Amino acid sequence: MPTVNAYAAQDATTPLAPFQIERRDLRPNDVQIEILFSGVCHSDIHQARSEWGPGLYPMVPGHEIVGRVTAVGGQVQGFKPGDLAGVGVLIDSCQDCPSCAEGLEQYCENGHTTTYNSRERDSGNLTFGGYSSSIVVREEFVLRVPESLDLKAVAPLLCAGITMYSPLRHWKIGPGHRVAIVGLGGLGHMGIKLAAALGAEVTLFTTSQSKAADAMRLGAHHVIISSDPAAMKAARTSFDFILSTVPTSHDLAPYLRTLKLGGQLVIVGAIDPVGVHGGLLISHRRSVSGSNIGGLTETQEMLDFCAEHGIVADIELIDMQDINAAYERMVRNDVKYRFVIDMASLGGEAAAD
Ligand code: NAP
Ligand code: ZN
């Protein structure tokens, strides 16, 4: 089994540090990918720090992976060495249940396998993510990456992009819809770009006055400072659809009041939805929903949509060695708008066993 360089958290409280992991030998349907760029998602921090319950350590985070295929198993049809490839949050699922049959592997009824902080279905071995020099993934979970886009800025599409695209598509957002995105971070900035490209009228709710000009540059038509009660009151019953990326528990009531009749508030953060009073729902037949990344078919559709519309993330490229400082900056809300790790900074493969 090849040994490769990585960065890992050994427990919930110590910083990430260099670590070596083993990648499995290629199975007939496996694709081996040299990782070129790896995005840094807020979910990496939540999991590395066990904020969603006890994590599986050692943990190598990273689920926004772009790289080049270096080898394929004998049965692989869709990839060959030298091709660009992407890997997102999912690397396996049962492929058999009704959800998987519909291409909704993220809702696999037998439990999907995530790129890290998870266990392989058959071996039970820990899965290790993108903060590493290479990865081995079964073909069905590898995405085709368009050659036309800036590769380092494509990486965040594999989680941030699809997590915004999937609910926008599920609720059929398009021209004539008034959409609000809550939070201008990694997900939120993709939400603005994608909702605008789908033809919606887009508003950003932000806690950061300083991000207003950027929001307009990214494609928003309006910005509302969510801490301004007068502005929130003025926005009552104005939106068809709100997509919230806020990573911490907070009062949803001020946002719910801005939904019009039949409006939908979709959250993607694993938060406690405080303030969802029945009165706010029944008075305007409003709904609150959640949404989880996207399936493989839809992720490919999103990548192709982004290629067609020239959409990539706004990123800050960092070295692997800067990851702990990057986490601190993300927690302080200081990133424009996604960190991406240049995996060349990690150094190549360690000596094979
Ligand atoms: P991020 O880059 O840190 O952005 C989050 C944004 O939320 C911040 O930029 C900030 O925007 C706003 N915010 C932060 N704290 C806030 C607070 N207390 N109240 C109101 N707004 C606040 O994070 P991300 O990577 O986009 O991820 C966002 C959340 O989505 C995380 O919880 C992550 O785990 C989750 N996620 C879910 C899925 C899924 O499939 N469901 C996939 C990926 C990520 P402003 O400065 O504009 O206010
Ligand atoms: Zn993510």
Side-chain angles (χ1 to χ4, degrees):
M1 288 205 288
T3 304
V4 302
N5 292 331
Y7 254 58
Q10 297 296 337
D11 57 54
T13 55
T14 43
L16 274 67
F19 186 65
Q20 293 198 328
I21 55 171
E22 291 190 332
R23 292 298 188 189
R24 67 173 182 245
D25 292 324
L26 284 195
R27 299 171 184 160
N29 63 341
D30 273 344
V31 178
Q32 182 191 62
I33 301 160
E34 177 199 6
I35 301 176
L36 300 174
F37 299 105
S38 196
V40 181
C41 181
H42 209 117
S43 303
D44 297 349
I45 304 177
H46 291 310
Q47 292 176 86
R49 298 182 175 176
S50 285
E51 291 172 0
W52 289 343
L56 300 173
Y57 301 94
M59 189 190 299
V60 176
H63 57 209
E64 295 183 336
I65 297 168
V66 167
R68 224 169 253 287
V69 175
T70 44
V72 296
Q75 288 170 10
V76 170
Q77 300 283 328
F79 293 92
K80 59 181 187 319
D83 287 351
L84 290 177
V87 178
V89 178
L90 302 171
I91 55 157
D92 208 355
S93 70
C94 80
Q95 303 278 287
D96 199 34
C97 70
S99 295
C100 287
E102 266 193 78
L104 299 171
E105 298 89 350
Q106 75 274 37
Y107 304 117
C108 173
E109 292 175 15
N110 297 303
H112 58 248
T113 308
T114 54
T115 311
Y116 67 89
N117 195 23
S118 186
R119 290 190 183 277
E120 290 183 353
R121 297 182 71 78
D122 40 10
S123 71
N125 290 337
L126 282 183
T127 60
F128 295 120
Y131 301 0
S132 60
S133 40
S134 71
I135 191 165
V136 174
V137 179
R138 63 184 288 187
E139 177 180 14
E140 296 88 336
F141 287 78
V142 181
L143 285 309
R144 290 185 309 283
V145 171
E147 294 272 353
S148 59
L149 297 176
D150 178 8
L151 272 194
K152 56 186 181 303
V154 167
L157 303 183
L158 275 308
C159 175
I162 184 59
T163 302
M164 298 288 94
Y165 185 81
S166 183
L168 289 168
R169 295 286 288 155
H170 180 75
W171 276 279
K172 299 183 170 44
I173 297 305
H177 288 128
R178 299 191 69 193
V179 169
I181 304 290
V182 190
L184 184 44
L187 268 56
H189 93 290
M190 291 311 309
I192 291 175
K193 291 186 188 205
L194 291 166
L198 287 166
E201 182 180 334
V202 184
T203 297
L204 172 72
F205 282 118
T206 179
T207 60
S208 308
Q209 174 84 55
S210 61
K211 294 180 184 174
D214 272 352
M216 305 297 276
R217 176 179 59 76
L218 294 166
H221 304 95
H222 317 275
V223 175
I224 296 174
I225 308 302
S226 53
S227 53
D228 176 353
M232 293 301 281
K233 197 167 178 188
R236 283 192 182 174
T237 60
S238 51
F239 297 111
D240 299 289
F241 187 76
I242 302 177
L243 185 50
S244 176
T245 72
V246 177
T248 47
S249 295
H250 61 288
D251 188 6
L252 296 184
Y255 300 104
L256 280 173
R257 291 190 185 96
T258 69
L259 282 176
K260 58 188 190 195
L261 175 64
Q264 186 82 228
L265 168 64
V266 178
I267 59 173
V268 298
I271 60 169
D272 284 330
V274 182
V276 185
H277 307 300
L280 289 176
L281 301 182
I282 61 185
S283 63
H284 292 76
R285 205 199 284 148
R286 295 165 171 138
S287 311
V288 179
S289 310
S291 186
N292 191 24
I293 40 170
L296 273 294
T297 305
E298 192 170 52
T299 305
Q300 190 63 58
E301 179 189 307
M302 177 274 311
L303 286 168
D304 297 343
F305 178 88
C306 287
E308 190 186 320
H309 292 265
I311 294 174
V312 288
D314 284 29
I315 66 147
E316 192 175 324
L317 196 65
I318 60 169
D319 287 344
M320 188 70 255
Q321 294 75 13
D322 299 330
I323 188 65
N324 295 301
Y327 276 14
E328 291 313 316
R329 281 186 51 197
M330 274 180 81
V331 170
R332 287 201 311 270
N333 200 0
D334 173 26
V335 52
K336 290 185 173 177
Y337 281 93
R338 196 60 140 187
F339 290 116
V340 172
I341 307 163
D342 180 354
M343 295 314 304
S345 61
L346 179 59
E349 281 207 4
D353 278 352

